[in-house]
Amino acid sequence: MSGPVGAKTLSAEQQKVFELIEGTKKHVFVTGRAGTGKSTLLNHLSWNTEKQLVISAPTGVAALNVGGQTIHSLFRLPIGVIADHDIEQNAEVRKLLNTIDTLVIDEVSMVNADLMDAIDRSLRQARQRPLEAFGGVQVVLFGDPYQLAPVPGDSDERAYFSDHYASMWFFDAKVWSETQLNIVELTEIHRQSDDDFKFMLNAVRHGMVTKEIADVLNGAGARTPPDDGTITLATRNDSVNRINAEALKRLKGPVKTARAEVSGDFAGRTFPADESLELKAGARVMFLRNDSDQRWVNGTVGTVTKIAGSVWVEVDGEVHEVEPVSWEKYKYSYSATSKELTKDVVGEFTQFPLRLAWAVTIHKSQGKTYDSAIVDLGSRVFSSGQTYVALSRLTSLEGLYLTRPLRPADIIVDSNVQRFMRRG
């Protein structure tokens, strides 16, 4: 199968990892700092593998972004802690799980240990190979535990984890005591080219920020930000919504609203773009999808110049006509005739691939690249990795603006992650 339009060629480092996945049955965890091309490798794998490969992710939006299915929907698992409860499987699920050679999980850092073990048990059960980890399926994980953490449940769930697991993280699942997980860390940064800035980001990533590094970051960040619509990355949703609403209100002219078309099985509220998108000429917007003609990528920021049927957006001095696009929700199934996996579209969400971009949450900036940004860490940082995600979106130190100086408490690194990554 040939690659998608505009498919990137792999670097030597990425090619080596592709060959490890394709040429062996080893379980592989592909990780690496922000900007090392994990998505590029995953995309290449999905288009070029000879294996029966299924792509999944822990959340609806993450699954949509990689053309996969959520873990819970793929395995028909109940929400919440599964523990040692029976896992019910109908004939359809069993057949599907029997055809898989390789299971890919993207954003695996958000998968908790209990869910990882439930995946293992589901595969052993369906494939009737109770003594073999994952029932003999190769598991390939993508993600960066320094950026995103599993979401803790209620107090009962947290108590269950502290009783049964070393931590909530996927790498502390019991299955890994029976089979080896090979950690492969991509090291070539394709986002930043300035070695000093890369070094500082790495220090933030590992929680090893010296006073000297903090002074350089704070010195750069203390400059007055330009008022040219430079994007703000904030910790809180309400700050982002307020900044975007106020900026839109300040623009002259009428608000135009584009409503998404939703069809098929698109249940839940995990839409990949706004169901109701409000725009005006002059609005700062961010693209939410790569363009097949490579005029913009997911994360490109521009300004709306005109709205008339389509939306015209200026990016780096060039105006492009933007039309609605469809996000397809997929479901894997087993075809009895071909004895193979098929991937069918079960739902579609059609909307302009744009969102207001005077501000965006740090969480939603995941995977994006900006030349300049105002980082607003609010009164405090909420979760490990948040500061690293925000700072590592930037291509250079020159583009960094901070609403307040970084404090030691902003650099939170989970000690469980440090323990696991030292094994690599």
Side-chain angles (χ1 to χ4, degrees), residues 52 99 334-341:
Q52 294 266 14
T99 51
Y334 171 75
S335 158
T337 45
S338 68
K339 302 269 191 287
E340 288 198 344
L341 283 173

Side-chain angles (χ1 to χ4, degrees), residues 225-233 243 284 301 357-359 370-375 394 399-401:
D227 55 0
D228 60 357
T230 292
I231 196 164
T232 295
L233 309 182
I243 292 168
R284 293 291 286 169
V301 176
W358 285 282
Y370 306 111
D371 290 332
S372 65
I374 300 161
V375 176
L394 287 152
L400 172 66
Y401 302 92

Side-chain angles (χ1 to χ4, degrees), residues 69-79 82 86-90 92-94 96-97 122 331-333:
Q69 194 175 344
T70 66
I71 294 166
H72 284 89
S73 145
L74 178 67
F75 287 90
R76 303 281 201 286
L77 290 168
I79 300 295
I82 294 149
D86 286 344
I87 293 174
E88 290 174 28
Q89 292 174 331
N90 60 23
E92 186 193 359
V93 173
R94 284 199 301 275
L96 168 64
L97 298 184
S122 298
K331 185 181 171 193
Y332 290 96
S333 55

